[in-house]
Structures are given as C-alpha cells and as structure tokens.
Amino acid sequence: MTKQEWMELFGDNLKKLMDERGMSGKELATKTYMSPATISKYINKKQAPKPKAIINMSLVLGVPIKDLIGFTNHID
C-alpha cells in the first residue's frame, strides 16, 4: 500500500467514524488539541497523520487504532 492509498483509506475511515458519532471536524480538533485545518487535511486526504495524532483521535472517538488505520499490510 502506498502512502497516498493509506491517506485515502485513513481519511475515509476518519470521516465515517466521525459521522457515526455525530462529531464535527471542529469538535474533534478541539478535543484532540489539533487545528480544524489539520483535521480537514486528514479527511480530505491531503496529509498523513502522525502516530500521536492517530492515538489521540482513536481515544476521542472511542475506537481501536485499527479502526482508523484500517490495514494490516505495510506502507511502501
């Protein structure tokens, strides 16, 4: 899986989980101490999150990290 493919998968997973919880990008940003612009970049597949961001988002969303990253293979 390439980095771009993973960013697309992550963005889709993040958007789905946020929608399921009725959480806006601004709300997620506030609760994770990130900017709304950063959350938007993740959702719009423009930026890959760092591990700390993934952990914080999984905690706030109440999901295992695997639900956000959604893959079992390595990134090329």
Side-chain angles (χ1 to χ4, degrees):
M1 176 180 297
T2 67
K3 182 177 179 180
Q4 184 60 42
E5 290 169 334
W6 181 72
M7 286 178 8
E8 291 180 22
L9 177 64
F10 182 86
D12 291 342
N13 289 344
L14 178 59
K15 178 68 173 144
K16 177 181 170 264
L17 291 167
M18 289 171 57
D19 288 347
E20 287 174 357
R21 285 150 184 76
M23 187 176 291
S24 69
K26 184 175 181 179
E27 184 180 358
L28 181 60
T30 299
K31 290 182 177 186
T32 57
Y33 303 100
M34 290 187 259
S35 72
T38 298
I39 300 297
S40 177
K41 288 177 185 176
Y42 298 154
I43 292 169
N44 292 306
K45 306 153 190 171
K46 303 289 184 195
Q47 180 177 326
K50 294 185 178 181
K52 182 179 177 181
I54 296 169
I55 292 166
N56 286 336
M57 287 184 281
S58 74
L59 291 171
V60 168
L61 293 167
V63 298
I65 291 171
K66 69 179 180 68
D67 289 357
L68 276 172
I69 60 174
F71 67 89
T72 56
N73 296 327
H74 69 281
I75 298 175
D76 295 334

